[in-house]
Amino acid sequence: MKVLVTGGSGFVGQRLCQALVEADHIPLVVSRAPDKARSRLPEQALVRQSVADFADQSPSAIVNLAGEPIAEGRWTEKKKKELLQSRIEITRDVVKLCEQLETPPAVLVSASAVGYYGDQGSRDVTEQTTPHDEFGHRLCRAWEAEAVKAESFGVRVAILRIGLVLDAGGGMLAKTTPVFKLGLGGKLGDGKQYMPWVHREDIVGMIMFLLEREDLSGPFNASAPNPVTNAEFTRALGRALNRPAILPAPAPALKLAFGEMSRLLLTGAKMLPRRFEEAGFRFRYERLDEALAAIFRS
Ligand SMILES: NC(=O)c1ccc[n+]([C@@H]2O[C@H](COP(=O)([O-])OP(=O)(O)OC[C@H]3O[C@@H](n4cnc5c(N)ncnc54)[C@H](OP(=O)(O)O)[C@@H]3O)[C@@H](O)[C@H]2O)c1
């Protein structure tokens, strides 16, 4: 089938497009820079600049991943606007396409993030948990609400509340590994904040699972069943790289350096993939040590 992918040139999107091709599907990738994107994608992928450009292709499914990177730089008012607009506008385009097509796609799998829940301390967080109201929550809530509008055109909508995606070549490990390799790694603040994580293979597996399972819709926590605290993550990464990780970054220094964005580093949610487990999704990587060992082995 033809699967339209926004953000297909990104860290998750590139691996998803490979998996789609391996399963005999054709990825239709929306990218602001098609030539650059093409060089990162399988040759079977068709790349165009906007969602509307694919109206003639009548995709059977849509995966919506595009958005301005959230963990880069301070959250100035301008940056916050970009974070929101870059997600809302393309999601609106996706819904518009669903409205216009004679045969709308059967399913839309749309990204959101663990940030939907805001700071939750150490309590277990399922899809039923009441979120904490803060910028991350408002951003994800608006993004999800836009995607859900596709339901009025008969489209099944599944939302992925994604945890930290781990693999080589991108995401948070691309930023932290060099620091840890220099022996300069350490916990952030008191290290008690939870960091729900997911291996990139499993997030791609979850997307494929939701594309296929016609009985599934609504929000899904997209992270491994064993979330860890920042202190545990720090120790596991130090072990995987065989380096000490004993230089903590104090909370006041992070707040000074990153302003409100430091909430991403200093707060978290012990997110559990309750609905994926109930639906019978099989994780390849359930434990952080196994995931990191596989990543650094390859
Ligand atoms: N990676 C994680 O740990 C993680 C965790 C939670 C949630 N998520 C969410 O999951 C989605 C996919 O993650 P990812 O790591 O694959 O993201 P990514 O590598 O940053 O890729 C996202 C893609 O979005 C497009 N994009 C970037 N800025 C944009 C803007 N201002 N306007 C329109 N499009 C823009 C880019 O495509 P072009 O340059 O080709 O247009 C980019 O390839 C993202 O929305 C992210 O917020 C990721």
Side-chain angles (χ1 to χ4, degrees), residues 7 9-13 31-32 65-69 86-87 111-113 143 162-165:
S9 63
F11 181 50
V12 175
S31 169
R32 294 164 302 166
L65 299 172
E68 174 79 13
S86 61
R87 289 172 169 77
S112 177
W143 193 11
I162 305 175
L164 285 165
V165 182

Side-chain angles (χ1 to χ4, degrees), residues 70 111-120 125-145 159-163 219-221 264 269 271:
I70 204 157
S112 177
V114 54
Y116 174 84
Y117 296 106
D119 184 13
Q120 294 286 342
V125 172
T126 71
E127 290 84 355
Q128 300 297 323
T129 300
T130 306
H132 177 253
D133 189 18
E134 55 187 276
F135 173 69
H137 167 64
R138 291 192 289 275
L139 172 67
C140 293
R141 187 183 58 195
W143 193 11
E144 293 186 8
I159 305 282
L160 282 173
R161 294 181 179 152
I162 305 175
F220 287 81
N221 289 349
L264 270 192
M271 186 167 77

